[in-house]
Amino acid sequence: MRVRLLGPIDVVVGGEARAVQGLRRKAVLAILGLHAGEVVSTGRLVELVWDGAAPPNAVNALQSHLSYLRRTLSDKAAVRSRPPGYVLDVGPDGTDVAVAERLIGAGLRDGDDAARARDLQRALDLWRGQPMADATGVTWLEEQAERLGQLWLQGKRALLAARLGLGHHAQLLPELEQLTREHPFDEQLHGQLMLALYRMGRQADALSTFQRLRRTLRDDLGIEPGPALRELESAMLRQDEHLDAPVQRIEVPVPTVEPPPVPRATVPAQIPLAVRTFAGRDGQLARLDALLPAEWTPPGSAVFVAVVSGTAGVGKSALAVHWAHRVADRFPDGQLYVNLRGFDPADTPMPPADAVRGFLDALGVPAERIPADLAGLSALLRSQLAGRRVLILLDNARDAEQVRPLLPAAPGCLVVVTSRDSLTSLVAIEGAVPVPVDLLTDGEARDLLISRLGARRVAAEPDAVERIAARCARLPIALAVVAGRAATRPELPLSAFADELGSYEKSLDAVAGTDPASDVRAVFSWSYRALSPAAAAVLRRMSLGPGPDLGIGAVASLAGVPGRQARTSLAELDRAGLVVEQRPGRYTFHDLLRAYATELVETADAEAGRAAAVDRLLEHYVATAQAAAQRLDPARDPVPRAARHPAIAVPAPPREEAQAWFDDEHRSLLAAVRLAAELGLDEHTWRLAAALTTFLDWHGQWPELVATQEAALRALRRLGDRPGQGAASCELGQVYARIGRFDEAHQYLWTALSLFEQLDDAPGLARAHYQLGWLQHAQRRYREALSHSEQALALFERLGDKLWRARALNATGWIMGQLGEYERALRRCRDALVENREVGDRHGEAGTWDAVGYAHHRLGDPRQAVACYGHALRAYRELGDRSGEACVLCHLGDAQADLGDAVAAADAWKRSAEILDEFDPAQAAVVRAKLPGAAPATVRG
């Protein structure tokens, strides 16, 4: 766990960056983080967080913010209460500031330049932009951000000095020129630039740099350069020998066999120019750092190979090049680079033999000694690399066969391969370490924009930044295109660019670059053209899926192929980085790739083919959802129809798998209901909506339940299906009663009752009376509620419907309990419990145990009530009914409180409130009001 302040404020837990929402919460975390391990008094925290203008409830708000931070950190002990305030207890390296200060301190001490450079570079890599850039407006934090900015500059100066001591003057020159432009009065940076120029034989330019600084200091500040810089100028004028570059010594182990005849003097440095505005990717950089070979690698050790893979435009090459520059000094025998053109729009993939020849030439091997065949070339390359410490970057590889001839055999070297393909055979056979690169996180996308546009401009428009990142799908290449436009138009607000992105009819038009390398559509096409026809067709058809992701069955249905064939194509797409298996068996792609696939399917697939694919998908969802819904709750009526296509025939899953299936698919099912309604597919619309009711009800997703049932009702009206209209009206009445909208509930339920009376539909009438009973109960009209429930019970008895008779028995018993008739209620609910078990209605049994427990509690036996609530709780958890679980936990807490077990009661109420927070915050507040010391809450209804 680490708190990060050297950039936007966030925390890293288990390798995952977590955003901190809200300015005050960020301020609390930052203040504690800057005092990590020290107690900050409550008064001091309040003063700093609210900038001396704290509201009357500041202390309560502070406690709420601290609770939020403990949840975000996933460790309640991380923020401790310690009089007279609080302390952040995350260990000595628990904040990036603490790590940076330690490493810079070590780098400022005398010692080996290489070791100092490593420490200082590690420290500076912790900066992700302007420190605490998203906490502007808090004066103390702005002062601390300025201090940390000076710390960065101090570390940068020290790093430059260490690297100059290592003879890196040529590599440092572009950076020094940029830094002196950004810090025109900094004499130390100008002195380092002068020294780098002098050591490159550019004495005149070095002296010109001194004169330019001298004029700037005179004109702007009215002062002269300091004595150190004046002495440096004098030393250059007399060409003092101590200014000469240090000799770089390369130690080569004494060979135990006769040395190869080819000299090894050439030290290549082929890594391309790094992206100066690189941001984020801390996890991937750490994974690459872990591969660095030790200073001495024993014979027989393996060569380390990393495969950096990901979708087109995700920043694989930028990551690899950035890291290569960071660690170049660890490879004194050089760095080799080649673009293998694996996915190049203008050329074919580079033959491995050509790449090897390029490396041998870079290593100084005479042309006459280079063999013609690939095997001979690879053997000579391995001989040249033996005993050396060389970093090899193989960029844009097509497949493992293109890479293998370029791999060294001796330890000491390290190979980084980038590819859109995951190169799984290289991982399996050569033991390569996979370093997958996904889309940027929200924080990393913001960091990228900060690095290109500046912290102040980004911090000034957080909403626009969020819209830009979302529209660009957090894809680095798309963000870079937009940032480039914004950088050339500093007079325009970022909201103008966000609005522009939203105005394009096609998403890819919004991020089109001026050349193929930066045009997102072109970049995607290079990967698409490399696919097999079957995989290409699957990619196109996946864009027709309405939800956020797709399971194997859904993909097979869209493509019209058997599941096994769909899996093969998905595996190919996954290797190519065009889809992501975000969970086992669940596939998705980011928004820009979806837009690209949509363009493809609209041009490559006929309209009739697209319509047939969507019809197959909806048939798959209807068949599987109805089967799964009946597994969850046998009381549900719909019976699955046989699938009309073999690719979508899915057997009914076991109940446990049915719950998991809905967990995975419910977002896609909701989207499918909307799509079916938009396309006028009324049969699909109402059947999908009906299949979703149990899951949505049990998970408290009542707005979604309302939306799907209203869509179903409209579809059923168009179909002229009056019994279906009555059923949908019943569902709507039930959910409106649950959320306290009683007028709408009355309207729908009485409409349903009237329809069923006209149709002489006894089962429908029974259900309508049953739901009207619960509606009246919700309004505390218990006599009317009992009347409707008794009518429902009589109808279910006449119909011989044992399952619903048991539920109606329980309903009447529960309402009798609300009327104070506890003995009668207990007898009625016990009868219901027996019948629940006889018909195997586990959900009805759960509700009945709750009612039996309530009756025992009211009869003065809270101990027996606790036992009953335990049965109900186990059943609801087994079924996955979150709403029922929350209700029983509240009742359980009441009984435990009457038993005198205050701790257990508080725990039950807290757990109930935490569940209710997910879907009914108002009721959660009512439950929390039961906790000791809590303020009273208003009871709904």
Side-chain angles (χ1 to χ4, degrees):
M1 175 174 55
R2 178 169 291 175
V3 175
R4 300 197 300 179
L5 308 176
L6 299 176
I9 297 167
D10 64 8
V11 298
V12 176
V13 180
E16 175 191 1
R18 297 181 180 178
V20 177
Q21 304 296 334
L23 174 61
R24 303 303 173 196
R25 290 168 174 170
K26 292 175 183 177
V28 173
L29 181 61
I31 293 164
L32 291 174
L34 291 168
H35 294 88
E38 303 174 11
V39 177
V40 183
S41 71
T42 302
R44 179 67 170 157
L45 270 173
V46 168
E47 179 186 0
L48 296 180
V49 168
W50 279 274
D51 226 5
N57 66 336
V59 173
N60 289 336
L62 176 63
Q63 292 171 348
S64 174
H65 296 333
L66 290 166
S67 296
Y68 169 87
L69 293 175
R70 291 185 183 107
R71 292 194 300 272
T72 303
L73 291 165
S74 296
D75 184 359
K76 292 182 179 179
V79 181
R80 297 177 181 273
S81 174
R82 188 174 298 168
Y86 298 90
V87 62
L88 181 69
D89 187 4
V90 288
D93 284 350
T95 70
D96 56 358
V97 172
V99 176
E101 288 175 336
R102 174 174 58 77
L103 290 171
I104 289 174
L108 292 174
R109 291 191 288 270
D110 291 335
D112 174 62
D113 281 335
R116 292 174 59 227
R118 281 196 296 273
D119 285 340
L120 291 163
Q121 186 63 62
R122 285 175 58 202
L124 296 181
D125 286 341
L126 295 170
W127 266 263
R128 297 168 291 116
Q130 176 70 21
M132 300 173 288
D134 46 355
T136 54
V138 181
T139 303
W140 189 80
L141 291 181
E142 290 178 346
E143 293 169 354
Q144 292 301 306
E146 179 66 26
R147 176 183 71 82
L148 293 171
Q150 291 302 312
L151 178 66
W152 178 89
L153 189 57
Q154 182 184 22
K156 174 60 77 173
R157 293 193 196 104
L159 175 61
L160 293 167
R163 293 190 63 189
L164 285 169
L166 293 167
H168 296 173
H169 41 274
Q171 298 99 312
L172 292 175
L173 188 59
E175 185 177 9
L176 282 166
E177 289 174 335
Q178 177 66 29
L179 285 168
T180 52
R181 285 194 293 270
E182 294 173 356
H183 302 276
F185 305 128
D186 193 305
E187 296 188 26
Q188 186 173 344
L189 289 175
H190 280 79
Q192 289 169 332
L193 175 59
M194 291 168 61
L195 187 58
L197 289 166
Y198 181 85
R199 288 179 175 175
M200 293 180 67
R202 296 168 59 181
Q203 182 182 9
D205 289 336
L207 294 171
S208 175
T209 298
F210 175 82
Q211 293 301 330
R212 186 171 60 251
L213 174 64
R214 187 175 191 177
R215 285 193 300 273
T216 300
L217 292 175
R218 280 177 173 175
D219 295 347
D220 293 357
L221 304 179
I223 59 174
E224 289 287 333
L229 204 60
R230 293 198 302 271
E231 174 55 33
L232 179 61
E233 181 206 23
S234 300
M236 288 181 177
L237 290 170
R238 62 177 182 267
Q239 297 187 344
D240 193 318
E241 63 180 15
H242 87 271
L243 297 180
D244 293 342
V247 177
Q248 288 186 273
R249 296 181 357 192
I250 302 173
E251 297 181 5
V252 180
V254 178
T256 57
V257 296
E258 184 178 340
V262 180
R264 306 192 194 183
T266 303
V267 179
Q270 296 186 326
I271 304 300
L273 181 68
V275 179
R276 180 175 174 271
T277 53
F278 183 86
R281 304 303 191 194
D282 293 345
Q284 288 85 355
L285 291 170
R287 190 157 191 168
L288 289 169
D289 284 342
L291 296 177
L292 286 170
E295 294 297 331
W296 176 81
T297 309
S301 300
V303 174
F304 289 108
V305 181
V307 175
V308 178
S309 63
T311 191
V314 82
K316 303 176 294 293
S317 297
L319 166 66
V321 169
H322 175 79
W323 183 78
H325 278 285
R326 275 179 43 172
V327 301
D329 61 333
R330 297 285 296 272
F331 299 90
D333 296 312
Q335 306 91 43
L336 296 170
Y337 170 87
V338 63
N339 179 1
L340 293 172
R341 303 197 307 264
F343 300 87
D344 193 298
D347 211 340
T348 57
M350 178 181 287
D354 291 355
V356 178
R357 289 189 191 98
F359 283 172
L360 291 172
D361 181 62
L363 291 166
V365 178
E368 63 270 14
R369 296 197 57 83
I370 297 179
D373 65 299
L374 179 58
L377 286 164
S378 294
L380 181 56
L381 177 62
R382 290 193 294 271
S383 297
Q384 288 297 306
L385 294 173
R388 292 190 177 191
R389 297 175 65 83
V390 177
L391 174 63
I392 304 170
L393 176 49
L394 308 178
D395 200 12
N396 196 15
R398 177 74 167 216
D399 51 37
E401 295 308 311
Q402 191 184 26
V403 169
R404 286 192 172 102
L406 303 172
L407 299 179
C413 295
L414 190 148
V415 183
V416 178
V417 187
T418 74
S419 179
R420 298 184 187 183
D421 192 286
S422 55
L423 303 182
T424 51
S425 66
L426 207 64
V427 174
I429 298 172
E430 277 75 17
V433 175
V435 183
V437 183
D438 202 349
L439 300 175
L440 297 171
T441 64
D442 291 333
E444 288 174 332
R446 187 172 58 249
D447 290 349
L448 187 150
L449 293 174
I450 287 172
S451 69
R452 291 174 179 255
L453 302 175
R456 189 174 298 277
R457 191 175 181 190
V458 171
E461 296 186 76
D463 291 340
V465 168
E466 186 176 337
R467 285 194 289 146
I468 289 171
R471 190 67 177 174
C472 292
R474 293 177 283 111
L475 186 69
I477 189 173
L479 285 165
V481 170
V482 177
R485 293 178 192 164
T488 61
R489 300 294 304 275
E491 75 280 3
L492 291 179
L494 294 182
S495 58
F497 297 97
D499 293 342
E500 180 187 5
L501 288 172
S503 68
Y504 284 92
E505 184 176 346
K506 294 185 176 181
S507 301
L508 296 177
D509 293 337
V511 290
T514 56
D515 64 83
S518 63
D519 186 280
V520 176
R521 187 182 282 107
V523 170
F524 289 161
S525 72
W526 310 339
S527 294
Y528 177 72
R529 288 200 295 266
L531 296 173
S532 67
V538 167
L539 179 70
R540 296 194 306 271
R541 297 289 177 83
M542 284 179 68
S543 70
L544 299 171
D549 57 12
L550 293 166
I552 299 291
V555 174
S557 301
L558 282 167
V561 299
R564 184 170 61 182
Q565 186 176 333
R567 287 180 188 275
T568 301
S569 294
L570 285 166
E572 181 180 346
L573 293 170
D574 189 23
R575 288 195 304 273
L578 292 172
V579 301
V580 176
E581 188 177 11
Q582 59 183 8
R583 299 192 311 281
R586 306 296 304 176
Y587 293 86
T588 188
F589 38 28
H590 62 70
D591 290 347
L592 293 180
L593 263 172
R594 180 186 288 274
Y596 178 66
T598 300
E599 290 184 2
L600 291 173
V601 80
E602 289 174 353
T603 56
D605 294 62
E607 183 177 354
R610 299 197 301 270
V614 171
D615 184 68
R616 287 193 302 270
L617 175 68
L618 295 176
E619 279 288 319
H620 162 75
Y621 281 147
V622 166
T624 314
Q626 289 188 346
Q630 281 207 296
R631 291 294 193 191
L632 287 184
D633 186 1
R636 291 291 177 185
D637 285 338
V639 177
R641 297 175 300 166
R644 298 196 300 246
H645 191 281
I648 60 175
V650 179
R655 188 179 52 75
E656 296 78 7
E657 293 181 17
Q659 178 65 46
W661 187 84
F662 272 114
D663 285 336
D664 286 339
E665 295 283 6
H666 73 276
R667 288 177 292 274
S668 295
L669 293 172
L670 290 169
V673 173
R674 292 192 293 271
L675 177 63
E678 290 168 6
L679 296 175
L681 301 174
D682 294 333
E683 185 82 8
H684 290 115
T685 301
W686 82 259
R687 287 185 177 274
L688 280 171
L692 272 165
T693 52
T694 296
F695 177 85
L696 295 177
D697 183 36
W698 289 5
H699 287 73
Q701 297 189 29
W702 297 316
E704 292 83 357
L705 186 50
V706 167
T708 55
Q709 288 304 309
E710 287 184 339
L713 185 56
R714 288 191 294 270
L716 289 160
R717 284 170 176 163
R718 287 191 293 269
L719 291 169
D721 185 339
R722 299 183 74 200
Q725 294 172 41
S729 295
C730 259
E731 294 290 356
L732 282 165
Q734 177 189 7
V735 68
Y736 276 124
R738 293 290 294 269
I739 61 178
R741 291 171 60 176
F742 300 130
D743 290 342
E744 290 99 324
H746 273 284
Q747 178 183 343
Y748 279 113
L749 288 173
W750 283 106
T751 297
L753 194 69
S754 175
L755 269 171
F756 291 135
E757 285 175 344
Q758 294 170 31
L759 295 167
D760 195 23
D761 184 339
L765 278 170
R767 295 286 184 86
H769 279 297
Y770 181 85
Q771 297 299 348
L772 278 164
W774 283 119
L775 170 60
Q776 301 288 3
H777 166 270
Q779 295 182 278
R780 296 186 176 82
R781 298 171 180 170
Y782 299 126
R783 290 296 175 191
E784 294 91 333
L786 185 59
S787 172
H788 282 292
S789 297
E790 294 280 14
Q791 290 180 72
L793 177 59
L795 284 166
F796 286 131
E797 285 177 345
R798 191 189 318 156
L799 291 165
D801 189 334
K802 293 182 178 180
L803 187 149
W804 276 100
R805 170 189 147 77
R807 291 194 177 187
L809 269 174
N810 180 53
T812 57
W814 174 264
I815 296 168
M816 289 171 184
Q818 304 306 305
L819 290 167
E821 301 174 16
Y822 304 123
E823 292 285 0
R824 190 180 174 202
L826 188 57
R827 288 193 297 274
R828 185 67 63 94
C829 291
R830 281 173 173 165
D831 290 344
L833 194 58
V834 171
E835 296 188 19
N836 289 142
R837 289 170 171 170
E838 287 177 356
V839 298
D841 181 7
R842 187 70 168 140
H843 194 264
E845 185 181 341
T848 305
W849 274 119
D850 183 30
V852 171
Y854 181 83
H856 277 299
H857 189 190
R858 294 302 176 183
L859 287 167
D861 191 354
R863 193 172 304 279
Q864 185 63 36
V866 167
C868 295
Y869 290 142
H871 289 299
L873 200 55
R874 282 189 292 275
Y876 277 133
R877 285 174 175 167
E878 175 188 317
L879 292 163
D881 185 342
R882 301 282 284 166
S883 176
E885 181 183 350
C887 181
V888 172
L889 280 168
C890 181
H891 295 160
L892 176 63
D894 295 343
Q896 288 168 328
D898 283 354
L899 278 173
D901 192 343
V903 174
D907 181 65
W909 289 328
K910 285 177 184 176
R911 284 185 290 156
S912 174
E914 286 168 0
I915 295 172
L916 289 166
D917 280 336
E918 300 170 13
F919 50 82
D920 195 347
Q923 192 62 24
V926 172
V927 176
R928 280 200 175 88
K930 296 173 178 282
L931 293 167
T938 302
V939 179
R940 186 176 60 203

